[in-house]
Amino acid sequence: MTAAAVSGALRSNGDRLWQSLIEMAEIGATSEGGSHRLALTNEDNAALELFERWARAERCHVSRDRLGNCFAERPGLDPARPAVLVGSHLDTQPGGGRFDGPLGTLAALEVVRTLNEHEIRTIAPVIAVSWTNEEGARFPLPCTGSGVFAGVVGYEQAMSQRAYDGPTFAAELERLGRAGVNDMGEREFAAYFELHIEQGPILESTGNVIGVVARGQGLRGIAVKLTGREAHTGTTPMESRRDALVGAAEVVAAVRRLAMTRKGALGTVSRLEVSPGSRAVIPGRAELLVDIRHPDLEVLDELETEVRHEIETIAAAAELEVEIETFLRIEPVVFNRSCVSVIEDVARRLGCSAMEVVSGAGHDAFYLATRMPAAMVFIACRDGISHSPLEYSEPEHVRAGCDVLLHAVLEKAGVSEDSR
Ligand code: HGY
Ligand code: MN
Ligand code: MN
């Protein structure tokens, strides 16, 4: 391990990373100052191609797997040593921000750039990665790419999922020529690290620069279809109606009420589609997406059971047919203690104020943690806002987060004695 790396004197180039974030944000930029780069759209593809150009300029071996996940490998001295994986995603929410995803993906690239600039040779290979469809905004399954890579999400399930705007995941991969042939299925990895904005208020409100993410809360995605009877709004007596939207409104209120009965639980109906949506027609169909979360698996399961039962009860009382499908289960995650400790130690060594946090948002690292030792580094975001054009993190926090990521990677990858 070189003196620079050990003493913590080594630093990434925060200005270069910030500049890369600005350039990346130009792809899919919105007039509100955010990012609109839905998974497997032309914008998402352009973002990945920019990442790949930058990675090739760093002499990385760039490849993709069959999900379109992109791997930029910087060789280590010992190619047989399990690699250290580091990255995040480039796709965004419809009205997303400029940091959620790109921060971690471009910080991984900055790690590579810094190692090249200082001619530091790691023992193990270091691979910067960009995962496909983390957000689950266009295609229902969040963390599709990392989920299949980790062996948690089935390949067919991933490929057959249909975008809310129509095409299947497989068709869009094909249209973009996005898939590759690098099958990492059998490869062993030493660790996975991901830098991400907290997307919540804790770090900012406590004045901590670094969040050491030891755990992540679990979540359920529940799709609900309510079917009533379309009829004339001007002639149908109130007591004989089967109004799907009235049922949906009760479901929205029930999800909120049930979540508030449990400390730490979160419940949201985040998507509602009503048809036919004509003024003089009583809504015959309503489709809802329910998102519930809790750090404790037992409480999360209880809440899911209760929500499903309440939806059945509401549908029966409103004489509506109902279909309920839990299409998404991401279990609460406990990150690898050794990786968490490395982040804690590095943050202390670099003089960053830090605290242990539980991630409220889901991340690719949750799935990666089922296949290899993994942990995350958080930095604050202004007012805790994310999934919004208002998303913002301070340049000095971006720099600090990248430096912690850099040294965590070096700890796990090892550094050769002959590095400068
Ligand atoms: O669902 C999530 O929490 C992530 O932000 N996609
Ligand atoms: Mn994210
Ligand atoms: Mn997100």
Side-chain angles (χ1 to χ4, degrees), residues 118-346:
H118 294 270
E119 296 176 12
I120 289 179
R121 305 296 312 156
T122 56
I123 310 291
V126 171
I127 303 176
V129 59
S130 179
W131 303 109
T132 307
N133 187 39
E134 187 278 343
E135 291 292 0
R138 182 183 184 211
F139 296 94
L141 295 177
C143 305
T144 299
S146 55
V148 174
F149 176 88
V152 181
V153 174
Y155 175 72
E156 290 309 327
Q157 183 191 11
M159 300 304 267
S160 59
Q161 64 178 313
R162 194 168 283 281
Y164 293 113
D165 61 331
T168 63
F169 193 90
E172 286 295 87
L173 271 182
E174 177 76 25
R175 177 181 69 84
L176 294 168
R178 172 76 169 252
V181 295
N182 181 2
D183 178 359
M184 305 276 254
E186 299 310 313
R187 186 162 179 177
E188 209 191 327
F189 295 92
Y192 173 73
F193 290 109
E194 181 167 356
L195 172 63
H196 208 285
I197 53 172
E198 177 203 342
Q199 300 182 288
I202 298 167
L203 291 178
E204 186 180 56
S205 60
T206 55
N208 282 289
V209 173
I210 296 295
V212 182
V213 189
R215 292 190 298 130
Q217 70 176 345
L219 66 101
R220 297 282 184 270
I222 306 170
V224 182
K225 287 182 183 168
L226 296 170
T227 306
R229 183 179 55 210
E230 293 173 17
H232 198 301
T233 54
T235 56
T236 311
M238 293 307 286
E239 61 281 357
S240 64
R241 295 180 175 202
R242 290 172 53 211
D243 185 329
L245 182 49
V246 167
E250 289 177 20
V251 168
V252 171
V255 167
R256 175 179 169 80
R257 174 169 43 81
L258 292 172
M260 293 179 82
T261 60
R262 283 174 173 75
K263 187 172 176 333
L266 299 169
T268 317
V269 172
S270 45
R271 185 184 179 100
L272 171 61
E273 289 183 288
V274 179
S275 61
S278 171
R279 176 186 50 77
V281 180
I282 296 169
R285 286 177 64 78
E287 297 194 27
L288 306 90
L289 276 189
V290 181
D291 177 293
I292 55 175
R293 309 201 183 200
H294 198 277
D296 178 284
L297 181 58
E298 203 177 313
V299 175
L300 182 60
D301 282 343
E302 276 170 18
L303 182 57
E304 178 192 358
T305 304
E306 206 168 4
V307 163
R308 289 178 65 106
H309 179 262
E310 185 68 10
I311 293 169
E312 301 270 5
T313 307
I314 290 168
E319 292 182 76
L320 302 173
E321 288 159 43
V322 62
E323 293 169 54
I324 306 175
E325 181 202 1
T326 298
F327 66 94
L328 176 64
R329 277 185 175 77
I330 295 184
E331 307 309 3
V333 62
V334 177
F335 285 119
N336 172 271
R337 197 66 230 168
S338 161
C339 289
V340 172
S341 303
V342 161
I343 293 170
E344 268 164 358
D345 296 346
V346 164

Side-chain angles (χ1 to χ4, degrees), residues 1-11 349-350 407:
M1 173 74 89
T2 60
V6 170
S7 67
L10 184 71
R11 289 291 184 274
R349 208 163 70 209
L350 298 184
H407 284 273

